[in-house]
Amino acid sequence: MACRCTQLQDTIDEVATQFYSSIHYLSSHHDFVPLPGQEKVSDSKVNPISAEELQFAQRDLAKDLVTKFMQIDTLINQLPGISTAPKHQLEKIKKLQNSIEEKQLERKSLESENEDLKLQLAKRIETFGRLSCVLFQP
Amino acid sequence: MLPQDDMTDEMKSLASRLEDTTQAFYDLALIVYNLEDTTPSDAIPESLDTLIRDLKSLPDISRKVNNLIPQDVLEYIEQGRNPDVYARQFSELVQKDNQYVNGKLYAIEGFQKAFAEEIKQAYPEVSSVVDKILNEGKVESTVS
């Protein structure tokens, strides 16, 4: 699954495609409409759909577009920080920076403690070694 | 051909001279066809003089006429066809294209209305904006 921004961009592209497809379909499937006093003409190269089908297509295409709009709204609502003001974002960044500094200090102290424990361990291993020599001498 | 009422004096003069030129061509052909020993010896030279005089005067008259004629009409005449037939076919073609574009307008207008209704259902808070846009469209249609 792509990230929210990519999904949003893809959905907007789909809306543009749907607009183009809708206009193209309606522009190539309509029938001749005579003006007052004229007789209706026809052409073998034009294959129109009936008035009912055209009306259904218009409504169907409109519904699809609105559905896509709603999808975009949903994606926008899920974007992080969409309702956060820049001021609040800066405050959040400061907090995170302070937290980073605290964690760094904690890391340093823990590293020092780690060194101390290593030294203690080395001493005990050395002591154990000497005791082993004494105890297990034949 | 153009109705007489639409022709200016220059056009009438040009048309008259064109007819004279055509008649001169015809007269010359008739004399040559009916050539006999009894034909006067100066008949052909006189016909040629008349023809040349008519042809020579055509450019002067045509310079005063500014009407443009479509290339299709000229090609039609060169093929020996009646330009009135061209005019009738052209008017039929215009009527057909006009109806086709009219149908296209109705289809797009219908889509606009359906789209507006769907948007109003999904987003009631922007109904007033949608109505405003539709009214602007109507005003534009009225103006054009």
Side-chain angles (χ1 to χ4, degrees):
Chain A
M1 179 66 75
C3 70
R4 290 282 183 252
C5 288
T6 304
Q7 290 182 50
L8 183 57
Q9 180 64 60
D10 289 344
T11 313
I12 291 173
D13 288 344
E14 286 168 18
V15 165
T17 302
Q18 263 180 260
F19 267 120
Y20 171 80
S21 302
S22 302
I23 301 295
H24 180 263
Y25 181 85
L26 294 172
S27 295
S28 56
H29 287 80
H30 62 83
D31 198 359
F32 293 92
V33 176
L35 297 166
Q38 286 182 0
E39 186 181 344
K40 183 176 174 180
V41 303
S42 65
D43 191 340
S44 59
K45 288 180 286 186
V46 177
N47 300 306
I49 58 180
S50 66
E52 293 80 15
E53 288 178 31
L54 186 69
Q55 216 168 30
F56 175 82
Q58 286 168 347
R59 184 156 291 273
D60 195 47
L61 293 168
K63 282 183 181 176
D64 288 347
L65 275 164
V66 172
T67 301
K68 195 64 70 173
F69 287 171
M70 289 177 167
Q71 286 180 23
I72 290 178
D73 274 356
T74 302
L75 288 170
I76 288 175
N77 289 331
Q78 293 176 8
L79 286 176
I82 192 65
S83 58
T84 308
K87 181 180 176 183
H88 295 153
Q89 288 183 12
L90 286 177
E91 290 180 0
K92 195 171 182 181
I93 289 174
K94 283 186 179 178
K95 285 184 181 178
L96 291 174
Q97 206 147 7
N98 292 334
S99 180
I100 288 172
E101 289 172 359
E102 290 174 7
K103 298 298 179 184
Q104 283 177 348
L105 293 178
E106 187 176 349
R107 180 192 176 99
K108 284 184 178 179
S109 66
L110 288 175
E111 282 176 354
S112 300
E113 188 174 348
N114 193 29
E115 293 295 328
D116 293 342
L117 291 174
K118 280 182 180 177
L119 291 177
Q120 290 183 26
L121 184 61
K123 287 181 181 177
R124 292 182 187 281
I125 289 174
E126 188 176 346
T127 304
F128 180 76
R130 279 194 267 106
L131 285 177
S132 298
C133 293
V134 171
L135 289 176
F136 294 107
Q137 272 185 352
Chain B
M1 290 305 173
L2 290 172
Q4 289 289 327
D5 298 339
D6 292 346
M7 294 178 71
T8 61
D9 291 339
E10 289 81 11
M11 289 177 66
K12 290 175 184 175
S13 177
L14 180 60
S16 173
R17 190 50 60 99
L18 279 169
E19 288 177 6
D20 291 347
T21 306
T22 307
Q23 187 64 40
F25 272 109
Y26 182 76
D27 289 344
L28 179 60
L30 200 61
I31 290 171
V32 171
Y33 184 77
N34 293 325
L35 197 59
E36 292 176 3
D37 294 338
T38 58
T39 304
S41 61
D42 61 345
I44 293 180
E46 275 189 8
S47 295
L48 282 173
D49 288 342
T50 303
L51 181 61
I52 291 171
R53 184 168 59 254
D54 288 341
L55 286 173
K56 190 177 180 182
S57 65
L58 282 178
D60 296 333
I61 301 176
S62 66
R63 259 191 283 271
K64 303 171 187 173
V65 178
N66 296 322
N67 298 64
L68 299 177
I69 300 175
Q71 185 72 26
D72 291 351
V73 177
L74 297 180
E75 290 172 5
Y76 227 78
I77 294 172
E78 280 183 4
Q79 296 167 18
R81 301 160 82 180
N82 188 345
D84 288 339
V85 172
Y86 177 87
R88 191 182 75 247
Q89 288 184 359
F90 190 79
S91 69
E92 287 174 3
L93 187 63
V94 166
Q95 177 169 311
K96 181 168 148 184
D97 280 356
N98 206 9
Q99 288 194 18
Y100 190 70
V101 173
N102 199 31
K104 201 182 292 288
L105 288 178
Y106 272 97
I108 301 300
E109 274 184 19
F111 178 64
Q112 186 192 35
K113 286 172 185 168
F115 192 38
E117 285 173 14
E118 292 297 324
I119 288 183
K120 285 184 185 178
Q121 285 183 23
Y123 302 99
E125 61 271 19
V126 298
S127 290
S128 58
V129 180
V130 173
D131 291 334
K132 184 181 174 185
I133 291 171
L134 287 178
N135 289 330
E136 286 178 359
K138 289 179 181 177
V139 171
E140 289 174 4
S141 300
T142 305
V143 171
S144 63

